[in-house]
Amino acid sequence: MSAPAPGNATVGAQAGGGGHGAAGGATSSVDHDVVNKILSHYLLIVLGAVSAALFIWRFTTVLVRYVRTVTCLHNDQQRYFARPSHKYSWFQKNILYAPIFSKRHNREFQISSALNVGTLPSRFQLLFLLAYLGTNVAFCVMTIDFSGPLAQVAALIRNRTGYLAVVNMIPLFLMAGRNNPLINLLGISFDTFNLLHRWFGRIVMLESVAHTVAWLVGNASKNGWSAAFNTALTVKFLMWGFISTCAMIALCIQASSIFRHAYYETFKVAHIALAILAVLGLWYHLDIKKLPQLKYLYAVCALWIFDRAARFLRIGYRNIGAGGTKTLVEALPGGACRVTVTMARPWDFRPGQHAYLYMPSIGFWQSHPFTVAWSDEAEQLDGEKGLPMDRHDVLYQKKTSVSFIIRGRTGFTGALYSRAAANPDGKLVTRCLVEGPYRGSQQLHSYGTVMLFAGGVGVTQAVPHVRDLVAGYSNGTVAARKVIMVWVIQTPEHLEWIRPWMTEILAMEKRREVLKIMLFVSRPRSTKEIHSPSSTVQMFPGRPNIDTLLGMEMENQVGTMAVSVCGPGALSDEVRRAVRNKQYNGAVDFVEEAFSW
């Protein structure tokens, strides 16, 4: 049988008894095979053009920040950079930083404590997704004469949607990778690519279903539905395509937020297994007939292999040699634990970096991402090694320790906290493999005023920036003249999470000249718990009024202002709203650190 199968994305196969792009011997003045190839290439060109535009934006932004940093190193006023641009402020308020509607973006739609249906994309992300979806819909129907015979129209739609589905799998798999080169090249976070990955997956699934249904309709119009399904399930070429389509549908169902959040560990395993099944089914589907779309699948497989190999090499390089990694887990008040890993090799730490932790004794196959909260380097004395003779010996004697704050909830994090808390001293020594570091958030060296909002364990993103900026101010290497950290916690005992690190920061040179810390305790047990140690470290009961705090700091703003937030979705949305409302009051940029899953 020569008709193409309902595969995940096949194309260009001959329709029952007809030539390429035709059905039942019907002919057309348009060479649809050529059109399919051209439109598929156009789809990649569209994505390439968008990437090029984003790269130019990224390059321009980096250049502007560099010039601003150099210009402001010895300028304590920075008045020029504090003035807003009316047009750019409008763009940031209404497009770049805007949620779809008035406020809600990162706050999840919660059904219960265990179930939610996810978050909304930003307005800018939505515009891109709608434009790309519209492009795919247009490409699916262009040059097709819908007034022709049903079998012929179905064959044309079948071939077109199959072609586009395979091509869309290339960016789909690229965006799923932890080692996606576009993350650093374009300055786009993994969280954003993760969102795009989910929506591109839905596009691939819809095109795969359209491909399958088009074949079934075309075949059923001549042979009946019973014969069409029987053919799809018995002819090997068609059967593998049908399996691939079913795997794609299952992928989209189980990857929906409500299932992903409720059974995350199970979701990850099932997602990988179904993805392998979808690709395997598609491979056989294309290979049996030697269809030209197989070359696109080579690229898909190459991307997957590259990402897995890079992850494996990262783990090996960071954890093997020099005695390996050593891990200490400390149970802390408030259901959190501090994980400190002494690395086998030095680590070039930068604020905002994250890493994936593997703890075989807690979750054998699982890896979870966490922000690196602190990093230290110490000399590793080794009598046998003697004095360092070259650069290699110096690096050998340096031991890097990285620390994470992990809030115990369900699954892996809950088990980790329980294991540590069960010990008499609240400490657990275990084996941990670290995969990282992965890209940190943008550096804040070029901003004269930096305001860091954090909620709960989101403080792990703020603390490294505070240390980095205070040290840079003391050394005269950053533009920062005012650094304000606002941390919202439930009880004062949560201060214990970062106490040793804040003690070190508060002892840094010139800290009082640049740093102010504001602590808000949302659920104090007594007013006696609320006391401010000094004018630069203040504690308040309740939740902060973001608008008021931001307005106060902007009254005496120095240079361009950066406002960063990391914490619960409600806090992020509130800070985003406040920044958008202040766009015309001064030059202010918004940086949101989030990791949706």
Side-chain angles (χ1 to χ4, degrees):
M1 168 134 185
S2 60
N8 176 15
T10 95
V11 319
Q14 292 181 344
H20 287 291
T27 60
S28 172
S29 60
V30 178
D31 189 337
H32 288 282
D33 280 343
V34 174
V35 173
N36 291 342
K37 293 176 184 178
I38 291 175
L39 291 178
S40 298
H41 292 162
Y42 278 174
L43 205 58
L44 295 177
I45 290 172
V46 167
L47 292 174
V50 171
S51 298
L54 290 174
F55 176 77
I56 293 172
W57 174 273
R58 161 83 162 161
F59 177 80
T60 304
T61 302
V62 170
L63 182 61
V64 168
R65 288 173 184 163
Y66 174 76
V67 172
R68 191 168 63 206
T69 302
V70 174
T71 305
C72 297
L73 288 180
H74 305 291
N75 183 352
D76 292 335
Q77 302 301 320
Q78 305 177 24
R79 290 191 179 92
Y80 174 79
F81 295 103
R83 293 196 295 266
S85 163
H86 187 275
K87 291 181 179 179
Y88 190 59
S89 294
W90 181 92
F91 173 71
Q92 291 193 131
K93 178 179 181 179
N94 296 288
I95 304 296
L96 191 60
Y97 300 152
I100 295 177
F101 303 111
S102 60
K103 178 180 176 180
R104 192 164 196 152
H105 165 60
N106 206 32
R107 182 184 175 188
E108 297 172 332
F109 289 91
Q110 202 80 23
I111 296 177
S112 69
S113 59
L115 298 176
N116 71 73
V117 291
T119 60
L120 294 174
S122 69
R123 191 173 298 173
F124 190 64
Q125 292 167 344
L126 178 65
L127 290 174
F128 169 75
L129 290 171
L130 288 177
Y132 192 71
L133 176 61
T135 301
N136 274 268
V137 172
F139 282 9
C140 284
V141 298
M142 285 176 63
T143 73
I144 295 178
D145 181 7
F146 286 89
S147 64
L150 178 61
Q152 177 179 326
V153 173
L156 296 177
I157 293 175
R158 176 201 67 209
N159 292 349
R160 182 71 55 78
T161 53
Y163 236 118
L164 295 178
V166 178
V167 170
N168 273 316
M169 289 180 69
I170 298 176
L172 173 67
F173 274 70
L174 176 64
M175 292 172 180
R178 298 177 185 176
N179 295 280
N180 177 1
L182 296 181
I183 292 176
N184 290 320
L185 193 63
L186 305 182
I188 297 176
S189 67
F190 177 78
D191 185 67
T192 298
F193 274 116
N194 200 15
L195 178 142
L196 295 177
H197 167 74
R198 292 195 292 270
W199 283 99
F200 271 62
R202 289 160 187 153
I203 291 174
V204 170
M205 184 271 292
L206 291 174
E207 289 174 339
S208 302
V209 170
H211 175 74
T212 302
V213 171
W215 182 88
L216 287 172
V217 168
N219 192 279
S221 67
K222 292 181 288 186
N223 304 317
W225 286 101
S226 178
F229 278 105
N230 183 65
T231 303
L233 297 175
T234 55
V235 177
K236 184 176 292 187
F237 162 62
L238 301 174
M239 179 191 70
W240 281 114
F242 192 74
I243 289 173
S244 185
T245 298
C246 291
M248 281 287 180
I249 296 172
L251 272 168
C252 286
I253 293 174
Q254 65 97 213
S256 61
S257 182
I258 193 168
F259 294 112
R260 194 171 68 247
H261 285 77
Y263 311 101
Y264 182 66
E265 282 86 3
T266 303
F267 151 76
K268 285 182 65 178
V269 177
H271 200 69
I272 294 172
L274 286 170
I276 292 174
L277 179 60
V279 172
L280 187 65
L282 178 57
W283 183 287
Y284 283 122
H285 180 65
L286 298 174
D287 187 59
I288 289 174
K289 293 289 185 178
K290 304 301 179 185
L291 297 177
Q293 297 75 32
L294 194 60
K295 62 178 179 290
Y296 299 122
L297 200 57
Y298 291 156
V300 169
C301 294
L303 288 171
W304 188 85
I305 293 171
F306 165 78
D307 183 65
R308 292 288 162 171
R311 289 167 58 179
F312 180 79
L313 290 174
R314 279 182 187 266
I315 294 172
Y317 178 77
R318 292 294 175 190
N319 299 275
I320 298 176
T325 57
K326 299 175 177 62
T327 305
L328 173 65
V329 182
E330 304 169 82
L332 301 173
C337 52
R338 183 164 50 232
V339 178
T340 303
V341 184
T342 303
M343 303 299 299
R345 299 178 188 273
W347 180 313
D348 183 18
F349 175 70
R350 295 181 181 180
Q353 287 179 338
H354 69 276
Y356 291 81
L357 302 185
Y358 298 77
M359 292 188 182
S361 63
I362 306 297
F364 179 70
W365 64 78
Q366 300 172 26
S367 64
H368 294 258
F370 300 101
T371 300
V372 183
W374 195 260
S375 177
D376 272 323
E377 278 197 357
E379 297 292 331
Q380 180 74 9
L381 299 179
D382 189 338
E384 296 182 4
K385 191 72 179 177
L387 294 175
M389 301 299 293
D390 54 25
R391 181 176 179 275
H392 179 270
D393 287 345
V394 172
L395 290 177
Y396 179 89
Q397 292 189 359
K398 283 185 178 293
K399 280 289 186 178
T400 302
S401 65
V402 292
S403 299
F404 308 83
I405 299 296
I406 301 174
R407 189 78 180 267
R409 300 192 185 278
T410 59
F412 173 85
T413 58
L416 178 64
Y417 175 78
S418 298
R419 285 281 298 275
N423 293 325
D425 58 353
K427 296 181 179 180
L428 171 69
V429 177
T430 186
R431 178 69 171 171
C432 176
L433 299 177
V434 179
E435 179 194 329
Y438 286 99
R439 175 185 178 270
S441 56
Q442 69 178 57
Q443 301 304 297
L444 305 177
H445 296 175
S446 69
Y447 295 95
T449 305
V450 178
M451 200 165 187
L452 303 157
F453 288 91
V457 291
V459 74
T460 56
Q461 186 268 341
V463 169
H465 280 295
V466 169
R467 180 172 70 164
D468 180 55
L469 292 172
V470 171
Y473 173 80
S474 178
N475 298 330
T477 57
V478 299
R481 298 297 184 269
K482 293 176 64 180
V483 180
I484 307 97
M485 187 179 87
V486 181
W487 186 22
V488 185
I489 54 179
Q490 293 179 349
T491 65
E493 63 181 10
H494 292 176
L495 296 172
E496 204 61 41
W497 297 352
I498 61 170
R499 186 178 298 279
W501 308 328
M502 289 310 300
T503 300
E504 186 172 329
I505 288 174
L506 294 176
M508 293 176 69
E509 186 178 358
K510 298 184 178 180
R511 184 271 305 176
R512 291 181 180 274
E513 299 177 19
V514 65
L515 177 64
K516 179 167 66 174
I517 299 174
M518 307 175 75
L519 306 171
F520 288 84
V521 183
S522 61
R523 301 176 187 173
R525 289 168 296 192
S526 168
T527 55
K528 296 180 180 180
E529 294 181 325
I530 310 301
H531 58 89
S532 301
S534 67
S535 60
T536 57
V537 181
Q538 299 176 310
M539 185 179 292
F540 306 91
R543 299 182 183 277
N545 185 313
I546 309 297
D547 270 315
T548 301
L549 293 178
L550 189 57
M552 290 170 55
E553 297 304 329
M554 291 188 72
E555 288 178 1
N556 301 301
Q557 177 179 336
V558 177
T560 305
M561 184 178 193
V563 179
S564 172
V565 61
C566 184
L571 175 65
S572 296
D573 289 352
E574 190 64 34
V575 174
R576 177 186 294 269
R577 184 191 62 81
V579 170
R580 291 179 62 229
N581 289 340
K582 302 291 185 182
Q583 278 299 306
Y584 299 111
N585 296 8
V588 53
D589 291 346
F590 177 68
V591 182
E592 182 181 45
E593 286 297 317
F595 196 94
S596 59
W597 46 272

